[in-house]
């Protein structure tokens, strides 16, 4: 099995449950508070660790309690952290989240150490990175660092999956560098600059990215599964029915499942089906990482579906 590396963010999510979201200047009493490890990069690394992958994480935490705790989380989840640096004098990445009774939320993200990842840092980790075969990246570290990493990995002939999240516009060069793009519907529309008129319209919008140089686009469509769009054709890959509780990090779990299956030698259509199963199972408990499944659970769902 090929080895994997995730380059990206490590955040701690501080989640307060409130009856309603506060208005400016208003003080409310919340009903619950939870601290969860998060960040798209580390979520994907942990999901890979749960599946049993040989996975390394590259990124930064701050020299605070949150950073120290996150290094313990990575160790517990069997994610190699020798590519993670502790940035002195800077906080770890934090997401402050308020969730009301209807499920609406308000989020403030402090990038902290994630925002200090740059080309020099990545060059210093280059030997460690290039020992791996398949790479996952997202858009929660500075764009210049992401572009630098993509160029480095392309020159080295590595397989690269880019999760273009959070949603934003990207240059044609950046779209063309990874082997696989994995947007959800919102991210796809931001990339293409046009709306999709329902799930059946996703291939048309994704096709616009192929025209700009993208190689393969896997559109994450939630309960509808995923759509694989390549120059050789379009494939709709159905999802799996589960009792969904919390969809946080379902996309991260999907990306991990996709990379894991490719690392085991699967072709892309088969890998997308595996990714659908991992993503579906990750919605069955609260928290970004709490429900990320192990391989036996994924294999049971695949066999049942």
């Amino acid at each position: 099995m090929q080895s994997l590396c995730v380059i990206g963010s490590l955040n701690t999510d501080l989640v307060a449950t409130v009856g309603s979201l506060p208005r400016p200047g208003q003080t409310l009493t919340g009903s619950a508070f939870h601290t969860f490890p998060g960040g798209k990069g580390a979520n994907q690394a942990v999901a890979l660790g749960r599946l049993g992958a040989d996975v390394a994480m590259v990124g930064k935490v701050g020299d605070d309690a949150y950073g120290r705790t996150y290094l313990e989380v990575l160790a517990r989840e069997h994610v190699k952290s020798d590519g993670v640096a502790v940035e002195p004098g800077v906080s770890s990445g934090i997401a402050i989240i308020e969730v009301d009774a209807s499920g609406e939320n308000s989020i403030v993200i402090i990038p902290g150490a994630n925002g200090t990842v740059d080309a020099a840092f990545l060059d210093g980790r280059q030997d460690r990175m290039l020992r791996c075969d398949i790479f996952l990246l997202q858009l929660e570290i500075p764009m210049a660092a992401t572009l630098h990493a993509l160029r480095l990995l392309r020159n080295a002939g590595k397989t690269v999956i880019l999760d273009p999240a959070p949603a934003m516009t990207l240059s044609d060069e950046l779209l063309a560098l990874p082997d696989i793009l994995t947007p959800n519907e919102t991210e796809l529309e931001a990339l293409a600059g046009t709306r999709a008129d329902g799930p059946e319209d996703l291939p048309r919008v994704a096709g616009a990215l192929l025209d700009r140089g993208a190689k393969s686009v896997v559109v994450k469509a939630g309960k509808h599964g995923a759509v694989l769009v390549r120059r050789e054709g379009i494939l709709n890959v159905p999802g799996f029915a589960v009792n969904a509780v919390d969809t946080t990090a379902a996309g991260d779990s999907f990306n991990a499942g996709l990379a894991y299956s490719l690392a085991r030698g699967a072709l892309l259509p088969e890998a997308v089906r595996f990714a659908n199963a991992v993503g579906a199972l990750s919605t069955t408990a609260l928290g970004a990482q709490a429900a990320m499944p192990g391989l036996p659970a994924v294999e049971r769902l695949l066999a049942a579906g």
Side-chain angles (χ1 to χ4, degrees), residues 268-289:
L268 189 51
E270 178 187 353
V272 173
R273 183 170 184 267
F274 187 94
N276 279 341
V278 178
L281 288 170
S282 76
T283 69
T284 58
L286 292 173
Q289 298 176 8

PDB file of all heavy atoms in Angstrom, residues 268-289:
ATOM      1  N   LEU A 268     -10.131   5.040  -9.953  1.00  0.00           N
ATOM      2  CA  LEU A 268     -10.836   6.195  -9.401  1.00  0.00           C
ATOM      3  C   LEU A 268     -12.329   5.952  -9.164  1.00  0.00           C
ATOM      4  O   LEU A 268     -12.842   6.323  -8.096  1.00  0.00           O
ATOM      5  CB  LEU A 268     -10.599   7.416 -10.291  1.00  0.00           C
ATOM      6  CG  LEU A 268     -11.085   8.763  -9.765  1.00  0.00           C
ATOM      7  CD1 LEU A 268     -10.589   9.023  -8.342  1.00  0.00           C
ATOM      8  CD2 LEU A 268     -10.626   9.880 -10.702  1.00  0.00           C
ATOM      9  N   PRO A 269     -13.082   5.341 -10.078  1.00  0.00           N
ATOM     10  CA  PRO A 269     -14.504   5.107  -9.786  1.00  0.00           C
ATOM     11  C   PRO A 269     -14.732   4.274  -8.525  1.00  0.00           C
ATOM     12  O   PRO A 269     -15.617   4.579  -7.712  1.00  0.00           O
ATOM     13  CB  PRO A 269     -15.000   4.377 -11.036  1.00  0.00           C
ATOM     14  CG  PRO A 269     -14.088   4.836 -12.120  1.00  0.00           C
ATOM     15  CD  PRO A 269     -12.735   4.943 -11.458  1.00  0.00           C
ATOM     16  N   GLU A 270     -13.949   3.221  -8.343  1.00  0.00           N
ATOM     17  CA  GLU A 270     -14.058   2.398  -7.140  1.00  0.00           C
ATOM     18  C   GLU A 270     -13.678   3.192  -5.901  1.00  0.00           C
ATOM     19  O   GLU A 270     -14.303   3.073  -4.838  1.00  0.00           O
ATOM     20  CB  GLU A 270     -13.152   1.174  -7.274  1.00  0.00           C
ATOM     21  CG  GLU A 270     -13.151   0.254  -6.062  1.00  0.00           C
ATOM     22  CD  GLU A 270     -12.115  -0.846  -6.166  1.00  0.00           C
ATOM     23  OE1 GLU A 270     -11.483  -0.985  -7.233  1.00  0.00           O
ATOM     24  OE2 GLU A 270     -11.928  -1.571  -5.163  1.00  0.00           O
ATOM     25  N   ALA A 271     -12.663   4.042  -6.017  1.00  0.00           N
ATOM     26  CA  ALA A 271     -12.221   4.853  -4.893  1.00  0.00           C
ATOM     27  C   ALA A 271     -13.292   5.853  -4.483  1.00  0.00           C
ATOM     28  O   ALA A 271     -13.461   6.150  -3.290  1.00  0.00           O
ATOM     29  CB  ALA A 271     -10.919   5.571  -5.231  1.00  0.00           C
ATOM     30  N   VAL A 272     -14.037   6.380  -5.451  1.00  0.00           N
ATOM     31  CA  VAL A 272     -15.113   7.321  -5.132  1.00  0.00           C
ATOM     32  C   VAL A 272     -16.215   6.619  -4.348  1.00  0.00           C
ATOM     33  O   VAL A 272     -16.768   7.172  -3.393  1.00  0.00           O
ATOM     34  CB  VAL A 272     -15.672   7.966  -6.419  1.00  0.00           C
ATOM     35  CG1 VAL A 272     -16.900   8.818  -6.095  1.00  0.00           C
ATOM     36  CG2 VAL A 272     -14.610   8.832  -7.088  1.00  0.00           C
ATOM     37  N   ARG A 273     -16.552   5.395  -4.707  1.00  0.00           N
ATOM     38  CA  ARG A 273     -17.569   4.647  -3.944  1.00  0.00           C
ATOM     39  C   ARG A 273     -17.098   4.398  -2.511  1.00  0.00           C
ATOM     40  O   ARG A 273     -17.868   4.546  -1.560  1.00  0.00           O
ATOM     41  CB  ARG A 273     -17.883   3.327  -4.644  1.00  0.00           C
ATOM     42  CG  ARG A 273     -18.987   2.529  -3.945  1.00  0.00           C
ATOM     43  CD  ARG A 273     -19.451   1.337  -4.771  1.00  0.00           C
ATOM     44  NE  ARG A 273     -20.560   0.659  -4.108  1.00  0.00           N
ATOM     45  CZ  ARG A 273     -20.425  -0.376  -3.289  1.00  0.00           C
ATOM     46  NH1 ARG A 273     -19.206  -0.885  -3.051  1.00  0.00           N
ATOM     47  NH2 ARG A 273     -21.481  -0.925  -2.707  1.00  0.00           N
ATOM     48  N   PHE A 274     -15.838   4.030  -2.357  1.00  0.00           N
ATOM     49  CA  PHE A 274     -15.285   3.841  -1.016  1.00  0.00           C
ATOM     50  C   PHE A 274     -15.362   5.153  -0.238  1.00  0.00           C
ATOM     51  O   PHE A 274     -15.739   5.175   0.943  1.00  0.00           O
ATOM     52  CB  PHE A 274     -13.835   3.367  -1.132  1.00  0.00           C
ATOM     53  CG  PHE A 274     -13.193   2.978   0.167  1.00  0.00           C
ATOM     54  CD1 PHE A 274     -13.202   1.666   0.595  1.00  0.00           C
ATOM     55  CD2 PHE A 274     -12.572   3.930   0.961  1.00  0.00           C
ATOM     56  CE1 PHE A 274     -12.601   1.294   1.802  1.00  0.00           C
ATOM     57  CE2 PHE A 274     -11.972   3.584   2.164  1.00  0.00           C
ATOM     58  CZ  PHE A 274     -11.991   2.252   2.580  1.00  0.00           C
ATOM     59  N   ALA A 275     -15.019   6.263  -0.888  1.00  0.00           N
ATOM     60  CA  ALA A 275     -15.069   7.568  -0.237  1.00  0.00           C
ATOM     61  C   ALA A 275     -16.483   7.923   0.205  1.00  0.00           C
ATOM     62  O   ALA A 275     -16.692   8.488   1.285  1.00  0.00           O
ATOM     63  CB  ALA A 275     -14.522   8.635  -1.174  1.00  0.00           C
ATOM     64  N   ASN A 276     -17.481   7.591  -0.624  1.00  0.00           N
ATOM     65  CA  ASN A 276     -18.875   7.834  -0.238  1.00  0.00           C
ATOM     66  C   ASN A 276     -19.214   7.109   1.063  1.00  0.00           C
ATOM     67  O   ASN A 276     -19.912   7.657   1.929  1.00  0.00           O
ATOM     68  CB  ASN A 276     -19.826   7.360  -1.341  1.00  0.00           C
ATOM     69  CG  ASN A 276     -19.971   8.354  -2.471  1.00  0.00           C
ATOM     70  OD1 ASN A 276     -19.661   9.540  -2.326  1.00  0.00           O
ATOM     71  ND2 ASN A 276     -20.449   7.883  -3.614  1.00  0.00           N
ATOM     72  N   ALA A 277     -18.743   5.893   1.207  1.00  0.00           N
ATOM     73  CA  ALA A 277     -19.032   5.115   2.416  1.00  0.00           C
ATOM     74  C   ALA A 277     -18.367   5.737   3.639  1.00  0.00           C
ATOM     75  O   ALA A 277     -18.982   5.858   4.706  1.00  0.00           O
ATOM     76  CB  ALA A 277     -18.575   3.670   2.237  1.00  0.00           C
ATOM     77  N   VAL A 278     -17.116   6.144   3.508  1.00  0.00           N
ATOM     78  CA  VAL A 278     -16.415   6.776   4.637  1.00  0.00           C
ATOM     79  C   VAL A 278     -17.105   8.078   5.022  1.00  0.00           C
ATOM     80  O   VAL A 278     -17.335   8.356   6.207  1.00  0.00           O
ATOM     81  CB  VAL A 278     -14.940   7.023   4.279  1.00  0.00           C
ATOM     82  CG1 VAL A 278     -14.224   7.736   5.435  1.00  0.00           C
ATOM     83  CG2 VAL A 278     -14.229   5.710   3.969  1.00  0.00           C
ATOM     84  N   GLY A 279     -17.441   8.888   4.022  1.00  0.00           N
ATOM     85  CA  GLY A 279     -18.109  10.151   4.309  1.00  0.00           C
ATOM     86  C   GLY A 279     -19.454   9.953   4.990  1.00  0.00           C
ATOM     87  O   GLY A 279     -19.796  10.675   5.935  1.00  0.00           O
ATOM     88  N   ALA A 280     -20.227   8.978   4.532  1.00  0.00           N
ATOM     89  CA  ALA A 280     -21.537   8.723   5.134  1.00  0.00           C
ATOM     90  C   ALA A 280     -21.412   8.312   6.598  1.00  0.00           C
ATOM     91  O   ALA A 280     -22.111   8.842   7.480  1.00  0.00           O
ATOM     92  CB  ALA A 280     -22.267   7.640   4.338  1.00  0.00           C
ATOM     93  N   LEU A 281     -20.511   7.391   6.893  1.00  0.00           N
ATOM     94  CA  LEU A 281     -20.349   6.927   8.271  1.00  0.00           C
ATOM     95  C   LEU A 281     -19.873   8.034   9.199  1.00  0.00           C
ATOM     96  O   LEU A 281     -20.200   8.045  10.391  1.00  0.00           O
ATOM     97  CB  LEU A 281     -19.371   5.756   8.313  1.00  0.00           C
ATOM     98  CG  LEU A 281     -19.900   4.437   7.739  1.00  0.00           C
ATOM     99  CD1 LEU A 281     -18.768   3.422   7.605  1.00  0.00           C
ATOM    100  CD2 LEU A 281     -21.014   3.873   8.623  1.00  0.00           C
ATOM    101  N   SER A 282     -19.137   9.006   8.669  1.00  0.00           N
ATOM    102  CA  SER A 282     -18.608  10.077   9.518  1.00  0.00           C
ATOM    103  C   SER A 282     -19.691  11.019  10.019  1.00  0.00           C
ATOM    104  O   SER A 282     -19.423  11.844  10.899  1.00  0.00           O
ATOM    105  CB  SER A 282     -17.556  10.879   8.745  1.00  0.00           C
ATOM    106  OG  SER A 282     -18.162  11.744   7.800  1.00  0.00           O
ATOM    107  N   THR A 283     -20.908  10.910   9.472  1.00  0.00           N
ATOM    108  CA  THR A 283     -21.990  11.800   9.901  1.00  0.00           C
ATOM    109  C   THR A 283     -22.814  11.223  11.050  1.00  0.00           C
ATOM    110  O   THR A 283     -23.777  11.848  11.483  1.00  0.00           O
ATOM    111  CB  THR A 283     -22.947  12.086   8.728  1.00  0.00           C
ATOM    112  OG1 THR A 283     -23.683  10.898   8.392  1.00  0.00           O
ATOM    113  CG2 THR A 283     -22.193  12.587   7.504  1.00  0.00           C
ATOM    114  N   THR A 284     -22.444  10.066  11.566  1.00  0.00           N
ATOM    115  CA  THR A 284     -23.313   9.358  12.512  1.00  0.00           C
ATOM    116  C   THR A 284     -23.040   9.673  13.973  1.00  0.00           C
ATOM    117  O   THR A 284     -23.579   9.012  14.858  1.00  0.00           O
ATOM    118  CB  THR A 284     -23.211   7.835  12.278  1.00  0.00           C
ATOM    119  OG1 THR A 284     -21.844   7.426  12.425  1.00  0.00           O
ATOM    120  CG2 THR A 284     -23.692   7.475  10.879  1.00  0.00           C
ATOM    121  N   ALA A 285     -22.206  10.690  14.263  1.00  0.00           N
ATOM    122  CA  ALA A 285     -21.974  11.139  15.637  1.00  0.00           C
ATOM    123  C   ALA A 285     -21.555  12.603  15.602  1.00  0.00           C
ATOM    124  O   ALA A 285     -21.170  13.134  14.556  1.00  0.00           O
ATOM    125  CB  ALA A 285     -20.908  10.291  16.340  1.00  0.00           C
ATOM    126  N   LEU A 286     -21.636  13.278  16.758  1.00  0.00           N
ATOM    127  CA  LEU A 286     -21.277  14.683  16.846  1.00  0.00           C
ATOM    128  C   LEU A 286     -19.760  14.872  16.786  1.00  0.00           C
ATOM    129  O   LEU A 286     -19.002  14.014  17.227  1.00  0.00           O
ATOM    130  CB  LEU A 286     -21.795  15.280  18.153  1.00  0.00           C
ATOM    131  CG  LEU A 286     -23.314  15.420  18.293  1.00  0.00           C
ATOM    132  CD1 LEU A 286     -23.661  15.861  19.706  1.00  0.00           C
ATOM    133  CD2 LEU A 286     -23.863  16.409  17.279  1.00  0.00           C
ATOM    134  N   GLY A 287     -19.339  16.010  16.263  1.00  0.00           N
ATOM    135  CA  GLY A 287     -17.919  16.362  16.254  1.00  0.00           C
ATOM    136  C   GLY A 287     -17.250  16.038  14.941  1.00  0.00           C
ATOM    137  O   GLY A 287     -17.674  15.146  14.191  1.00  0.00           O
ATOM    138  N   ALA A 288     -16.176  16.776  14.645  1.00  0.00           N
ATOM    139  CA  ALA A 288     -15.490  16.611  13.371  1.00  0.00           C
ATOM    140  C   ALA A 288     -14.866  15.235  13.231  1.00  0.00           C
ATOM    141  O   ALA A 288     -14.909  14.628  12.160  1.00  0.00           O
ATOM    142  CB  ALA A 288     -14.427  17.697  13.212  1.00  0.00           C
ATOM    143  N   GLN A 289     -14.266  14.718  14.294  1.00  0.00           N
ATOM    144  CA  GLN A 289     -13.503  13.476  14.195  1.00  0.00           C
ATOM    145  C   GLN A 289     -14.128  12.294  14.916  1.00  0.00           C
ATOM    146  O   GLN A 289     -13.701  11.155  14.725  1.00  0.00           O
ATOM    147  CB  GLN A 289     -12.085  13.714  14.723  1.00  0.00           C
ATOM    148  CG  GLN A 289     -11.311  14.748  13.917  1.00  0.00           C
ATOM    149  CD  GLN A 289      -9.939  15.052  14.488  1.00  0.00           C
ATOM    150  OE1 GLN A 289      -9.474  14.385  15.420  1.00  0.00           O
ATOM    151  NE2 GLN A 289      -9.280  16.071  13.959  1.00  0.00           N
TER     152      GLN A 289
END
